[in-house]
């Protein structure tokens, strides 16, 4: 990919309430990152999400059609939807997060939504407390639809 991101042709989307929106691209899968109140601001200011080094291979499967979310464990709110602006790599910014999270990916905001509170996240994730890593198509679909409904 050479750092370039190609987005699939956008599809027409019809919501269950009959509304139409073609500005939201389809997502093939999803990925969720974790942060806390100390790292949340850094994630947003750098537009860089990160994880431990052992997650790099999984993160490198993130494609331009992957919906990316950020879950803050302190506030218990889900942010999104983001998409990759470059491929994941080791230490894209070695000074980020005090060097503790070397597997990193640059993101850009695709859909701005109001942060979703824990009670909604619980329903989306079906009670699964592990919110770091690849999301099933079911969870991605539920997360995307909920995000669209809560656009900021």
């Amino acid at each position: 990919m050479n750092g370039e991101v190609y987005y699939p042709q956008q599809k027409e989307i019809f919501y269950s309430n009959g509304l139409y929106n073609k500005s939201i691209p389809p997502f093939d899968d999803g990925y969720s990152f974790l942060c806390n109140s100390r790292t949340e601001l850094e994630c947003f200011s750098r537009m860089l999400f990160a994880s431990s080094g052992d997650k790099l291979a999984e993160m490198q499967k993130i494609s331009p059609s992957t919906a990316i979310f950020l879950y803050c464990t302190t506030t218990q709110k889900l942010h999104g939807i983001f998409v990759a602006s470059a491929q994941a790599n080791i230490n894209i910014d070695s000074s980020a997060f005090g060097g503790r999270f070397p597997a990193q990916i640059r993101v850009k905001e695709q859909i701005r939504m109001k942060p979703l509170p824990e009670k909604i996240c619980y329903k989306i994730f079906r009670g699964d407390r592990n919110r770091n890593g690849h999301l099933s198509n079911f969870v991605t679909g539920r997360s995307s639809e909920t995000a669209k409904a809560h656009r900021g």
Side-chain angles (χ1 to χ4, degrees):
M1 286 179 69
N2 298 333
E4 294 182 48
V5 178
Y6 298 96
Y7 289 92
Q9 186 161 346
Q10 296 180 347
K11 296 179 182 174
E12 296 176 352
I13 298 173
F14 287 90
Y15 301 116
S16 58
N17 63 5
L19 296 176
Y20 165 74
N21 188 330
K22 69 176 188 176
S23 66
I24 299 170
F27 296 110
D28 293 332
D29 62 350
Y31 201 92
S32 180
F33 287 89
L34 299 177
C35 68
N36 60 35
S37 59
R38 290 177 292 164
T39 58
E40 183 178 40
L41 182 60
E42 190 169 4
C43 286
F44 290 135
S45 66
R46 295 177 189 260
M47 293 306 283
L48 184 73
F49 293 176
S51 195
S52 58
D54 63 335
K55 292 278 191 182
L56 182 63
E58 187 177 296
M59 288 170 57
Q60 287 179 326
K61 295 176 184 173
I62 292 173
S63 75
S65 59
T66 300
I68 301 173
F69 300 90
L70 183 66
Y71 181 77
C72 182
T73 58
T74 308
T75 62
Q76 297 184 328
K77 291 188 178 177
L78 185 69
H79 301 275
I81 297 174
F82 303 89
V83 292
S85 61
Q87 189 166 8
N89 212 330
I90 291 290
N91 290 323
I92 292 170
D93 183 341
S94 59
S95 66
F97 313 108
R100 294 179 317 194
F101 304 109
Q104 301 173 352
I105 189 166
R106 289 236 181 254
V107 298
K108 66 180 182 178
E109 188 175 59
Q110 181 70 31
I111 298 171
R112 178 169 293 190
M113 67 177 189
K114 297 174 188 166
L116 301 178
E118 173 61 21
K119 66 182 179 181
I120 294 175
C121 294
Y122 186 83
K123 290 178 184 177
I124 291 171
F125 288 94
R126 292 269 169 133
D128 183 359
R129 304 301 267 177
N130 181 14
R131 300 194 178 142
N132 185 44
H134 184 264
L135 301 175
S136 71
N137 286 338
F138 176 78
V139 171
T140 300
R142 286 179 68 117
S143 301
S144 298
E145 288 303 315
T146 304
K148 292 170 197 172
H150 289 83
R151 290 176 79 165

